[in-house]
mmCIF file of all heavy atoms in Angstrom:
data_model
loop_
_atom_site.group_PDB
_atom_site.id
_atom_site.type_symbol
_atom_site.label_atom_id
_atom_site.label_comp_id
_atom_site.label_asym_id
_atom_site.label_seq_id
_atom_site.Cartn_x
_atom_site.Cartn_y
_atom_site.Cartn_z
ATOM 1 N N GLY A 106 -135.723 60.640 15.451
ATOM 2 C CA GLY A 106 -135.978 61.847 16.224
ATOM 3 C C GLY A 106 -137.416 62.307 16.119
ATOM 4 O O GLY A 106 -137.999 62.795 17.094
ATOM 5 N N LYS A 107 -138.015 62.134 14.935
ATOM 6 C CA LYS A 107 -139.417 62.524 14.777
ATOM 7 C C LYS A 107 -140.321 61.639 15.641
ATOM 8 O O LYS A 107 -141.277 62.138 16.264
ATOM 9 C CB LYS A 107 -139.792 62.415 13.306
ATOM 10 C CG LYS A 107 -141.269 62.655 13.008
ATOM 11 C CD LYS A 107 -141.571 62.427 11.553
ATOM 12 C CE LYS A 107 -143.071 62.524 11.271
ATOM 13 N NZ LYS A 107 -143.411 62.290 9.854
ATOM 14 N N GLU A 108 -140.042 60.352 15.700
ATOM 15 C CA GLU A 108 -140.859 59.451 16.516
ATOM 16 C C GLU A 108 -140.707 59.733 18.002
ATOM 17 O O GLU A 108 -141.598 59.409 18.792
ATOM 18 C CB GLU A 108 -140.470 58.007 16.223
ATOM 19 C CG GLU A 108 -140.918 57.508 14.849
ATOM 20 C CD GLU A 108 -140.583 56.057 14.626
ATOM 21 O OE1 GLU A 108 -139.636 55.558 15.299
ATOM 22 O OE2 GLU A 108 -141.258 55.408 13.808
ATOM 23 N N ARG A 109 -139.568 60.306 18.405
ATOM 24 C CA ARG A 109 -139.387 60.654 19.825
ATOM 25 C C ARG A 109 -140.063 61.966 20.200
ATOM 26 O O ARG A 109 -139.971 62.390 21.343
ATOM 27 C CB ARG A 109 -137.891 60.729 20.155
ATOM 28 C CG ARG A 109 -137.143 59.399 20.019
ATOM 29 C CD ARG A 109 -137.777 58.325 20.898
ATOM 30 N NE ARG A 109 -137.176 57.032 20.705
ATOM 31 C CZ ARG A 109 -137.511 56.163 19.773
ATOM 32 N NH1 ARG A 109 -138.444 56.483 18.887
ATOM 33 N NH2 ARG A 109 -136.937 54.985 19.679
ATOM 34 N N GLY A 110 -140.705 62.621 19.263
ATOM 35 C CA GLY A 110 -141.438 63.834 19.562
ATOM 36 C C GLY A 110 -140.541 65.056 19.773
ATOM 37 O O GLY A 110 -140.916 65.967 20.528
ATOM 38 N N PHE A 111 -139.368 65.089 19.139
ATOM 39 C CA PHE A 111 -138.495 66.248 19.265
ATOM 40 C C PHE A 111 -139.146 67.456 18.619
ATOM 41 O O PHE A 111 -139.885 67.366 17.652
ATOM 42 C CB PHE A 111 -137.145 65.990 18.603
ATOM 43 C CG PHE A 111 -136.280 64.982 19.327
ATOM 44 C CD1 PHE A 111 -135.139 64.465 18.732
ATOM 45 C CD2 PHE A 111 -136.600 64.551 20.613
ATOM 46 C CE1 PHE A 111 -134.336 63.559 19.386
ATOM 47 C CE2 PHE A 111 -135.813 63.645 21.282
ATOM 48 C CZ PHE A 111 -134.688 63.138 20.674
ATOM 49 N N THR A 112 -138.830 68.624 19.172
ATOM 50 C CA THR A 112 -139.282 69.878 18.570
ATOM 51 C C THR A 112 -138.474 70.169 17.313
ATOM 52 O O THR A 112 -137.512 69.465 16.996
ATOM 53 C CB THR A 112 -139.150 71.025 19.572
ATOM 54 O OG1 THR A 112 -137.752 71.207 19.882
ATOM 55 C CG2 THR A 112 -139.912 70.735 20.861
ATOM 56 N N VAL A 113 -138.861 71.207 16.600
ATOM 57 C CA VAL A 113 -138.134 71.580 15.383
ATOM 58 C C VAL A 113 -136.696 71.928 15.707
ATOM 59 O O VAL A 113 -135.771 71.502 15.002
ATOM 60 C CB VAL A 113 -138.850 72.774 14.692
ATOM 61 C CG1 VAL A 113 -138.034 73.247 13.485
ATOM 62 C CG2 VAL A 113 -140.253 72.384 14.259
ATOM 63 N N GLN A 114 -136.484 72.663 16.794
ATOM 64 C CA GLN A 114 -135.113 73.033 17.195
ATOM 65 C C GLN A 114 -134.312 71.786 17.591
ATOM 66 O O GLN A 114 -133.162 71.621 17.172
ATOM 67 C CB GLN A 114 -135.155 74.025 18.343
ATOM 68 C CG GLN A 114 -133.770 74.482 18.792
ATOM 69 C CD GLN A 114 -133.817 75.336 20.046
ATOM 70 O OE1 GLN A 114 -134.773 75.237 20.829
ATOM 71 N NE2 GLN A 114 -132.826 76.191 20.231
ATOM 72 N N GLN A 115 -134.927 70.922 18.376
ATOM 73 C CA GLN A 115 -134.220 69.727 18.841
ATOM 74 C C GLN A 115 -133.901 68.789 17.657
ATOM 75 O O GLN A 115 -132.803 68.251 17.565
ATOM 76 C CB GLN A 115 -135.063 68.999 19.883
ATOM 77 C CG GLN A 115 -135.181 69.732 21.190
ATOM 78 C CD GLN A 115 -136.152 69.052 22.148
ATOM 79 O OE1 GLN A 115 -137.019 68.275 21.719
ATOM 80 N NE2 GLN A 115 -136.039 69.345 23.430
ATOM 81 N N LEU A 116 -134.865 68.625 16.752
ATOM 82 C CA LEU A 116 -134.640 67.741 15.631
ATOM 83 C C LEU A 116 -133.562 68.279 14.686
ATOM 84 O O LEU A 116 -132.722 67.528 14.175
ATOM 85 C CB LEU A 116 -135.942 67.518 14.866
ATOM 86 C CG LEU A 116 -135.983 66.382 13.839
ATOM 87 C CD1 LEU A 116 -135.545 65.067 14.481
ATOM 88 C CD2 LEU A 116 -137.381 66.233 13.268
ATOM 89 N N SER A 117 -133.550 69.586 14.488
ATOM 90 C CA SER A 117 -132.516 70.187 13.641
ATOM 91 C C SER A 117 -131.147 70.059 14.284
ATOM 92 O O SER A 117 -130.149 69.742 13.621
ATOM 93 C CB SER A 117 -132.841 71.650 13.376
ATOM 94 O OG SER A 117 -131.819 72.261 12.598
ATOM 95 N N GLY A 118 -131.063 70.298 15.616
ATOM 96 C CA GLY A 118 -129.790 70.145 16.318
ATOM 97 C C GLY A 118 -129.323 68.707 16.326
ATOM 98 O O GLY A 118 -128.117 68.427 16.154
ATOM 99 N N PHE A 119 -130.227 67.766 16.521
ATOM 100 C CA PHE A 119 -129.862 66.347 16.491
ATOM 101 C C PHE A 119 -129.344 65.949 15.109
ATOM 102 O O PHE A 119 -128.358 65.206 14.994
ATOM 103 C CB PHE A 119 -131.083 65.510 16.862
ATOM 104 C CG PHE A 119 -130.908 64.032 16.678
ATOM 105 C CD1 PHE A 119 -129.962 63.315 17.395
ATOM 106 C CD2 PHE A 119 -131.671 63.343 15.726
ATOM 107 C CE1 PHE A 119 -129.794 61.945 17.202
ATOM 108 C CE2 PHE A 119 -131.499 61.988 15.537
ATOM 109 C CZ PHE A 119 -130.560 61.288 16.270
ATOM 110 N N PHE A 120 -129.970 66.462 14.051
ATOM 111 C CA PHE A 120 -129.516 66.134 12.703
ATOM 112 C C PHE A 120 -128.125 66.714 12.460
ATOM 113 O O PHE A 120 -127.294 66.106 11.787
ATOM 114 C CB PHE A 120 -130.500 66.672 11.668
ATOM 115 C CG PHE A 120 -130.264 66.177 10.282
ATOM 116 C CD1 PHE A 120 -130.803 64.976 9.865
ATOM 117 C CD2 PHE A 120 -129.495 66.917 9.391
ATOM 118 C CE1 PHE A 120 -130.578 64.504 8.584
ATOM 119 C CE2 PHE A 120 -129.259 66.436 8.112
ATOM 120 C CZ PHE A 120 -129.805 65.235 7.704
ATOM 121 N N THR A 121 -127.865 67.900 12.998
ATOM 122 C CA THR A 121 -126.524 68.487 12.859
ATOM 123 C C THR A 121 -125.487 67.606 13.554
ATOM 124 O O THR A 121 -124.379 67.401 13.030
ATOM 125 C CB THR A 121 -126.495 69.900 13.456
ATOM 126 O OG1 THR A 121 -127.479 70.703 12.798
ATOM 127 C CG2 THR A 121 -125.121 70.548 13.275
ATOM 128 N N ALA A 122 -125.827 67.064 14.726
ATOM 129 C CA ALA A 122 -124.914 66.171 15.419
ATOM 130 C C ALA A 122 -124.645 64.905 14.596
ATOM 131 O O ALA A 122 -123.512 64.443 14.475
ATOM 132 C CB ALA A 122 -125.493 65.798 16.791
ATOM 133 N N LEU A 123 -125.717 64.359 13.993
ATOM 134 C CA LEU A 123 -125.532 63.205 13.121
ATOM 135 C C LEU A 123 -124.575 63.533 11.984
ATOM 136 O O LEU A 123 -123.674 62.757 11.648
ATOM 137 C CB LEU A 123 -126.880 62.764 12.542
ATOM 138 C CG LEU A 123 -127.905 62.103 13.463
ATOM 139 C CD1 LEU A 123 -129.217 61.876 12.715
ATOM 140 C CD2 LEU A 123 -127.374 60.794 13.999
ATOM 141 N N HIS A 124 -124.787 64.704 11.383
ATOM 142 C CA HIS A 124 -123.980 65.105 10.237
ATOM 143 C C HIS A 124 -122.513 65.278 10.631
ATOM 144 O O HIS A 124 -121.612 64.819 9.914
ATOM 145 C CB HIS A 124 -124.531 66.398 9.652
ATOM 146 C CG HIS A 124 -123.764 66.939 8.497
ATOM 147 N ND1 HIS A 124 -123.764 66.334 7.265
ATOM 148 C CD2 HIS A 124 -122.940 68.021 8.372
ATOM 149 C CE1 HIS A 124 -123.002 67.004 6.436
ATOM 150 N NE2 HIS A 124 -122.491 68.039 7.081
ATOM 151 N N ARG A 125 -122.240 65.923 11.755
ATOM 152 C CA ARG A 125 -120.858 66.177 12.162
ATOM 153 C C ARG A 125 -120.138 64.875 12.507
ATOM 154 O O ARG A 125 -118.958 64.708 12.184
ATOM 155 C CB ARG A 125 -120.835 67.130 13.358
ATOM 156 C CG ARG A 125 -121.171 68.563 12.987
ATOM 157 C CD ARG A 125 -120.877 69.515 14.115
ATOM 158 N NE ARG A 125 -121.157 70.901 13.715
ATOM 159 C CZ ARG A 125 -120.960 71.945 14.514
ATOM 160 N NH1 ARG A 125 -120.501 71.750 15.754
ATOM 161 N NH2 ARG A 125 -121.233 73.153 14.081
ATOM 162 N N ILE A 126 -120.825 63.968 13.180
ATOM 163 C CA ILE A 126 -120.187 62.702 13.539
ATOM 164 C C ILE A 126 -119.832 61.909 12.269
ATOM 165 O O ILE A 126 -118.763 61.320 12.183
ATOM 166 C CB ILE A 126 -121.112 61.885 14.456
ATOM 167 C CG1 ILE A 126 -121.207 62.595 15.826
ATOM 168 C CG2 ILE A 126 -120.598 60.472 14.650
ATOM 169 C CD1 ILE A 126 -122.211 61.971 16.761
ATOM 170 N N LEU A 127 -120.751 61.918 11.299
ATOM 171 C CA LEU A 127 -120.454 61.208 10.066
ATOM 172 C C LEU A 127 -119.345 61.890 9.282
ATOM 173 O O LEU A 127 -118.484 61.210 8.690
ATOM 174 C CB LEU A 127 -121.727 61.119 9.211
ATOM 175 C CG LEU A 127 -121.618 60.244 7.947
ATOM 176 C CD1 LEU A 127 -121.391 58.785 8.336
ATOM 177 C CD2 LEU A 127 -122.879 60.362 7.105
ATOM 178 N N GLU A 128 -119.307 63.213 9.281
ATOM 179 C CA GLU A 128 -118.245 63.919 8.586
ATOM 180 C C GLU A 128 -116.893 63.656 9.249
ATOM 181 O O GLU A 128 -115.864 63.650 8.568
ATOM 182 C CB GLU A 128 -118.537 65.423 8.567
ATOM 183 C CG GLU A 128 -119.692 65.817 7.682
ATOM 184 C CD GLU A 128 -119.435 65.505 6.215
ATOM 185 O OE1 GLU A 128 -118.361 65.852 5.713
ATOM 186 O OE2 GLU A 128 -120.314 64.893 5.584
ATOM 187 N N ASN A 129 -116.894 63.462 10.551
ATOM 188 C CA ASN A 129 -115.631 63.135 11.238
ATOM 189 C C ASN A 129 -115.065 61.793 10.748
ATOM 190 O O ASN A 129 -113.840 61.611 10.708
ATOM 191 C CB ASN A 129 -115.844 63.092 12.751
ATOM 192 C CG ASN A 129 -116.083 64.473 13.334
ATOM 193 O OD1 ASN A 129 -115.715 65.493 12.729
ATOM 194 N ND2 ASN A 129 -116.708 64.526 14.508
ATOM 195 N N VAL A 130 -115.942 60.882 10.394
ATOM 196 C CA VAL A 130 -115.484 59.600 9.865
ATOM 197 C C VAL A 130 -115.115 59.736 8.389
ATOM 198 O O VAL A 130 -114.081 59.238 7.940
ATOM 199 C CB VAL A 130 -116.584 58.528 10.022
ATOM 200 C CG1 VAL A 130 -116.079 57.172 9.552
ATOM 201 C CG2 VAL A 130 -117.043 58.434 11.465
ATOM 202 N N LYS A 131 -115.929 60.449 7.637
ATOM 203 C CA LYS A 131 -115.776 60.516 6.192
ATOM 204 C C LYS A 131 -114.616 61.391 5.775
ATOM 205 O O LYS A 131 -113.772 60.977 4.942
ATOM 206 C CB LYS A 131 -117.085 61.039 5.586
ATOM 207 C CG LYS A 131 -117.057 61.206 4.081
ATOM 208 C CD LYS A 131 -118.380 61.770 3.598
ATOM 209 C CE LYS A 131 -118.346 62.062 2.103
ATOM 210 N NZ LYS A 131 -119.607 62.687 1.622
ATOM 211 N N ASP A 132 -114.528 62.605 6.300
ATOM 212 C CA ASP A 132 -113.539 63.583 5.846
ATOM 213 C C ASP A 132 -112.322 63.673 6.761
ATOM 214 O O ASP A 132 -111.189 63.702 6.301
ATOM 215 C CB ASP A 132 -114.183 64.956 5.712
ATOM 216 C CG ASP A 132 -115.302 64.963 4.668
ATOM 217 O OD1 ASP A 132 -115.223 64.144 3.732
ATOM 218 O OD2 ASP A 132 -116.231 65.777 4.804
ATOM 219 N N LYS A 133 -112.565 63.729 8.081
ATOM 220 C CA LYS A 133 -111.452 63.886 9.011
ATOM 221 C C LYS A 133 -110.796 62.576 9.409
ATOM 222 O O LYS A 133 -109.703 62.585 9.976
ATOM 223 C CB LYS A 133 -111.950 64.607 10.267
ATOM 224 C CG LYS A 133 -112.478 66.014 9.993
ATOM 225 C CD LYS A 133 -112.934 66.696 11.281
ATOM 226 C CE LYS A 133 -113.472 68.097 10.998
ATOM 227 N NZ LYS A 133 -113.931 68.768 12.240
ATOM 228 N N HIS A 134 -111.469 61.453 9.149
ATOM 229 C CA HIS A 134 -110.939 60.117 9.474
ATOM 230 C C HIS A 134 -110.543 59.992 10.945
ATOM 231 O O HIS A 134 -109.476 59.487 11.268
ATOM 232 C CB HIS A 134 -109.735 59.785 8.568
ATOM 233 C CG HIS A 134 -110.039 59.881 7.104
ATOM 234 N ND1 HIS A 134 -110.852 58.991 6.445
ATOM 235 C CD2 HIS A 134 -109.665 60.813 6.181
ATOM 236 C CE1 HIS A 134 -110.942 59.338 5.159
ATOM 237 N NE2 HIS A 134 -110.239 60.430 4.960
ATOM 238 N N LEU A 135 -111.423 60.490 11.804
ATOM 239 C CA LEU A 135 -111.158 60.391 13.246
ATOM 240 C C LEU A 135 -111.403 58.961 13.708
ATOM 241 O O LEU A 135 -112.235 58.246 13.172
ATOM 242 C CB LEU A 135 -112.070 61.347 14.033
ATOM 243 C CG LEU A 135 -111.864 62.851 13.797
ATOM 244 C CD1 LEU A 135 -112.795 63.637 14.717
ATOM 245 C CD2 LEU A 135 -110.426 63.255 14.020
ATOM 246 N N SER A 136 -110.650 58.574 14.731
ATOM 247 C CA SER A 136 -110.882 57.264 15.335
ATOM 248 C C SER A 136 -112.168 57.310 16.155
ATOM 249 O O SER A 136 -112.741 58.383 16.409
ATOM 250 C CB SER A 136 -109.704 56.868 16.219
ATOM 251 O OG SER A 136 -109.581 57.792 17.303
ATOM 252 N N MET A 137 -112.646 56.164 16.582
ATOM 253 C CA MET A 137 -113.873 56.127 17.335
ATOM 254 C C MET A 137 -113.735 56.855 18.668
ATOM 255 O O MET A 137 -114.643 57.538 19.113
ATOM 256 C CB MET A 137 -114.313 54.670 17.562
ATOM 257 C CG MET A 137 -115.668 54.548 18.256
ATOM 258 S SD MET A 137 -116.285 52.865 18.335
ATOM 259 C CE MET A 137 -115.064 52.115 19.404
ATOM 260 N N VAL A 138 -112.580 56.740 19.297
ATOM 261 C CA VAL A 138 -112.358 57.424 20.565
ATOM 262 C C VAL A 138 -112.417 58.934 20.387
ATOM 263 O O VAL A 138 -113.074 59.657 21.152
ATOM 264 C CB VAL A 138 -111.009 56.997 21.189
ATOM 265 C CG1 VAL A 138 -110.736 57.781 22.474
ATOM 266 C CG2 VAL A 138 -111.026 55.490 21.472
ATOM 267 N N ASP A 139 -111.743 59.452 19.363
ATOM 268 C CA ASP A 139 -111.752 60.898 19.110
ATOM 269 C C ASP A 139 -113.140 61.379 18.730
ATOM 270 O O ASP A 139 -113.562 62.484 19.124
ATOM 271 C CB ASP A 139 -110.763 61.250 18.009
ATOM 272 C CG ASP A 139 -109.325 60.969 18.419
ATOM 273 O OD1 ASP A 139 -109.040 60.993 19.650
ATOM 274 O OD2 ASP A 139 -108.481 60.755 17.526
ATOM 275 N N ASN A 140 -113.861 60.576 17.981
ATOM 276 C CA ASN A 140 -115.211 60.974 17.589
ATOM 277 C C ASN A 140 -116.155 60.974 18.802
ATOM 278 O O ASN A 140 -117.056 61.815 18.919
ATOM 279 C CB ASN A 140 -115.741 60.039 16.518
ATOM 280 C CG ASN A 140 -116.644 60.748 15.515
ATOM 281 O OD1 ASN A 140 -117.047 61.889 15.729
ATOM 282 N ND2 ASN A 140 -116.964 60.069 14.440
ATOM 283 N N LEU A 141 -115.957 60.043 19.711
ATOM 284 C CA LEU A 141 -116.750 60.057 20.953
ATOM 285 C C LEU A 141 -116.445 61.283 21.782
ATOM 286 O O LEU A 141 -117.341 61.859 22.421
ATOM 287 C CB LEU A 141 -116.463 58.774 21.766
ATOM 288 C CG LEU A 141 -117.153 57.502 21.292
ATOM 289 C CD1 LEU A 141 -116.595 56.279 22.007
ATOM 290 C CD2 LEU A 141 -118.665 57.600 21.513
ATOM 291 N N LYS A 142 -115.201 61.711 21.780
ATOM 292 C CA LYS A 142 -114.847 62.945 22.490
ATOM 293 C C LYS A 142 -115.539 64.155 21.872
ATOM 294 O O LYS A 142 -116.002 65.054 22.587
ATOM 295 C CB LYS A 142 -113.338 63.137 22.473
ATOM 296 C CG LYS A 142 -112.554 62.123 23.307
ATOM 297 C CD LYS A 142 -111.078 62.383 23.225
ATOM 298 C CE LYS A 142 -110.289 61.363 24.057
ATOM 299 N NZ LYS A 142 -108.808 61.579 23.963
#
Side-chain angles (χ1 to χ4, degrees):
K107 175 185 175 181
E108 289 183 336
R109 295 303 175 275
F111 290 169
T112 63
V113 175
Q114 181 187 24
Q115 290 173 339
L116 193 53
S117 178
F119 171 64
F120 191 86
T121 303
L123 289 175
H124 178 71
R125 287 192 178 181
I126 291 173
L127 187 65
E128 290 297 311
N129 289 339
V130 184
K131 178 182 176 183
D132 298 332
K133 298 181 180 179
H134 304 290
L135 295 183
S136 63
M137 185 172 65
V138 176
D139 294 335
N140 214 349
L141 282 169
K142 291 180 181 179

